[in-house]
Amino acid sequence: ISPGFVIMIVMQVSYQNISENIITMKQIGTFNDYLISPISRIEILFALIVSNLFMSIFLASICLFIFNIINNFNSINYFYIYYYLIITSLIFSSIGSIVGFLFFTWDIQQSISNFFIMPISLLSGTFFSINVVNSNWIFLFTYNPFYHIVTKFRNSFFGNNVFNYKEELYLLILTIFFILISIIVFRKGYRVIN
């Protein structure tokens, strides 16, 4: 259960932090200060994503430290753990930046959190094994990229992580896709730039 808690915290914190910060800045008017600065909107986006990445990795490291004291994991592969934490944080930070940039109200931000982010973080095998799922529904997990992230993250705790090039390429393409969508949204300046 400990790996599930860590990856769920990273998913939710990565989305919530950046989307709430951008919406708050737009509501109180400080986002305009960012926009009139001599840096591009893409640099603003990367600054927000990198700061969010550091914060989520820091929280995950604290959780890993505490859970390691409680559970005493012996064969942790730290390279894979931080690799999947970084990928997860980049994906959900990009989704959060898209939501924060496109919408102005907390209602929409929380609706996306409640009906998209929370189900993804809980129904992607975070707290259960695929063996308990009905065989008619297993195909949903094979095409769910977040299930692969959670499973590979969990396997890196027990030293039985197998590097599959197709799955890793799939996860990297998904990460790049969400980052590119957030770059396009920030570059266009939809509903923010006058």
Side-chain angles (χ1 to χ4, degrees):
I1 289 180
S2 299
F5 277 121
V6 174
I7 200 77
M8 184 185 72
I9 288 169
V10 170
M11 287 179 183
Q12 292 177 3
V13 166
S14 295
Y15 168 78
Q16 293 284 348
N17 182 46
I18 196 166
S19 62
E20 287 177 3
N21 283 340
I22 293 173
I23 289 176
T24 301
M25 287 189 295
K26 287 185 343 187
Q27 286 181 346
I28 63 175
T30 58
F31 195 70
N32 292 330
D33 296 338
Y34 281 99
L35 295 176
I36 61 173
S37 65
I39 59 176
S40 70
R41 289 189 292 272
I42 307 305
E43 292 170 331
I44 294 170
L45 171 68
F46 280 121
L48 291 170
I49 287 178
V50 168
S51 66
N52 205 24
L53 176 70
F54 282 127
M55 188 193 65
S56 62
I57 296 299
F58 178 72
L59 287 175
S61 298
I62 290 173
C63 291
L64 286 171
F65 177 73
I66 292 171
F67 287 140
N68 196 21
I69 291 172
I70 295 170
N71 294 329
N72 196 15
F73 295 111
N74 293 329
S75 59
I76 293 179
N77 188 338
Y78 287 104
F79 173 76
Y80 282 133
I81 284 177
Y82 284 103
Y83 171 72
Y84 293 118
L85 286 176
I86 288 170
I87 284 180
T88 304
S89 181
L90 287 175
I91 290 172
F92 284 93
S93 295
S94 298
I95 294 171
S97 66
I98 293 167
V99 170
F101 201 74
L102 290 179
F103 303 111
F104 287 92
T105 63
W106 298 105
D107 300 335
I108 297 172
Q109 188 263 352
Q110 284 301 314
S111 296
I112 292 172
S113 175
N114 291 335
F115 297 115
F116 181 69
I117 303 298
M118 291 293 277
I120 283 176
S121 65
L122 294 173
L123 296 176
S124 294
T126 309
F127 298 116
F128 59 89
S129 172
I130 196 170
N131 299 330
V132 299
V133 177
N134 188 345
S135 62
N136 296 333
W137 296 102
I138 289 182
F139 74 94
L140 291 174
F141 290 98
T142 58
Y143 295 112
N144 182 359
F146 304 110
Y147 169 74
H148 293 291
I149 292 173
V150 170
T151 302
K152 290 183 170 292
F153 182 74
R154 181 180 290 120
N155 289 339
S156 61
F157 274 80
F158 304 112
N160 56 358
N161 203 358
V162 177
F163 195 81
N164 185 346
Y165 291 105
K166 290 181 183 178
E167 290 177 358
E168 299 304 326
L169 184 64
Y170 178 54
L171 295 177
L172 285 176
I173 288 172
L174 182 76
T175 305
I176 292 169
F177 172 75
F178 280 117
I179 290 172
L180 287 177
I181 294 296
S182 63
I183 287 172
I184 291 169
V185 168
F186 265 67
R187 182 175 286 164
K188 285 229 180 224
Y190 176 73
R191 294 178 58 186
V192 174
I193 311 298
N194 294 331

